[in-house]
Amino acid sequence: MEPPAPADARLAIGARALGVRFPLVQAGMGGVAGPRLAAAVSGAGALGTVALYRSPPAGCARLVTRTAELTDRPFAVGFVPEVAGPLLAEQLAAVLAAADRPLTFTSFGPPTAAFAAGARAGGHRLLVQVGSLAEARTALRLGADVLALQGEEAGGRHLGGTAVRRLLAETVAAAPGVPLLVAGGLHDGRQLRAAAAAGAHGAVAGTLFAAAAESDAHPDYRRALVTAGPGATVVTDRFALGWPGRRHRVLAGPVTDAERPPPAAVIGWLVQDGVRHPVPRGAATVPTVRVEGAVGEMARYAGTGSAAIRAVLPAARLVDRLRAEAAADAPARPVPGTAARTLSDSPPDFPPVFPPDFPPVSQ
């Protein structure tokens, strides 16, 4: 029997590192990634993530408990240390108390040393998303088991400004043997296989799952993702209210297109537990099913992969499709224009995350 190809071997390593069958992680998108989405992704053999964002401890426990009720598979819990602030320790304690199985704790950016130690002491995996080689080194010093390398192609808040393929090459050279996931622009299993040939062990996908049937994204937001074309996203700083200091990739709209930042008037409401909270223009609030108002003027986070989304599909179908496309014997992509375009076909001018001439690594 022939030994597995390097790409296959790396994907197998990634699957073992995450405790799943297929090394794909659904991103922890605050407000969008709820228990239904996380459970659906995990049930399909990948790693679903339930996002905590600013949830109070009791809310964190409910999210973890509900996800556990919906799936018997491993799943992840997403923390955002820089947003949670002093609440982070309480969130961690609540999740540790509610966990009924080993979990993967994902951290957007390197967490505090206390958080890293607490998570790993509980027997859980620690996955840290980073945007630079310096952050990667910090995360490894904290004991991260897996690194997710976020490129500038990613939707949502940016930890850095480097293309994902460049960040991967830098990290592979500096940290051999560390399980690495690429994050940003991924929408096709063939991209994942190309990333594995370049040294990755798996991937993180956010925008693809924001448009999934189980997502808690507002219906208008999902429709906008489905109809987005090439060049539909922009990196901006105009949705900083509530989360300053981070540039972010969103679907372009009236707020980003305006010559000057529009005034921060109330444009909608977030309804939680029967209480209506105002959403001002320029807020970091993502439009979810709990939001009403001018969705088109809100922070509709989206990566460059949104240009390839064609329909709202069940999360399990998305996972199955990427798994099939990533297989060694997957058929080559048809030349655009020679046949009817399918969900997995990119527009002719859609830039691949890993172009065909991107050099593989020997690791």
Side-chain angles (χ1 to χ4, degrees), residues 72-312:
D72 59 0
R73 301 284 180 81
F75 63 92
V77 181
F79 296 83
V80 187
E82 68 182 48
V83 167
L87 185 63
L88 182 64
E90 297 178 52
Q91 290 182 325
L92 174 62
V95 172
L96 288 171
D100 68 343
R101 71 198 71 175
L103 301 174
T104 296
F105 288 35
T106 72
S107 175
F108 183 80
T112 63
F115 176 93
R120 300 189 79 244
H124 305 285
R125 292 182 178 86
L126 177 60
L127 188 163
V128 180
Q129 183 160 281
V130 300
S132 67
L133 183 56
E135 285 189 338
R137 287 174 169 145
T138 298
L140 292 175
R141 285 196 296 270
L142 290 170
D145 300 294
V146 182
L147 296 181
L149 310 178
Q150 186 203 50
E152 63 183 0
E153 302 88 347
R157 302 282 147 167
H158 282 183
L159 291 162
T162 304
V164 66
R165 58 181 179 268
R166 179 180 301 174
L167 183 56
L168 175 63
E170 294 174 351
T171 311
V172 165
V178 176
L180 304 175
L181 312 177
V182 291
L186 184 112
H187 62 88
D188 186 286
R190 283 157 288 208
Q191 291 175 313
L192 173 56
R193 187 169 185 83
H201 302 89
V204 177
T207 308
L208 187 69
F209 289 113
E214 298 87 351
S215 161
D216 282 341
H218 191 282
D220 291 348
Y221 176 21
R222 284 191 287 183
R223 278 191 286 271
L225 290 173
V226 168
T227 57
T233 67
V234 61
V235 177
T236 181
D237 60 0
R238 291 195 173 178
F239 296 98
L241 296 178
W243 192 345
R246 293 283 184 196
R247 290 172 66 78
H248 31 272
R249 186 179 290 277
V250 298
L251 290 174
V255 174
T256 62
D257 292 345
E259 184 177 352
R260 292 184 178 86
V266 173
I267 58 171
W269 301 88
L270 170 63
V271 183
Q272 286 185 320
D273 299 323
V275 179
R276 288 163 58 86
H277 305 274
V279 178
R281 186 183 291 112
T285 307
V286 64
T288 69
V289 292
R290 291 170 290 280
V291 165
E292 53 190 48
V295 169
E297 296 187 53
M298 296 181 189
R300 300 172 300 167
Y301 300 113
T304 57
S306 60
I309 296 174
R310 294 288 178 266
V312 173

Side-chain angles (χ1 to χ4, degrees), residues 25-33 49-53 77-80 106 204-206:
V25 179
Q26 164 245 312
M29 303 163 284
V32 170
T49 305
V50 61
L52 303 185
Y53 195 52
V77 181
F79 296 83
V80 187
T106 72
V204 177

Side-chain angles (χ1 to χ4, degrees), residues 5-22:
D8 293 322
R10 291 193 189 97
L11 293 177
I13 290 170
R16 288 195 298 272
L18 295 169
V20 296
R21 296 199 302 266
F22 182 56

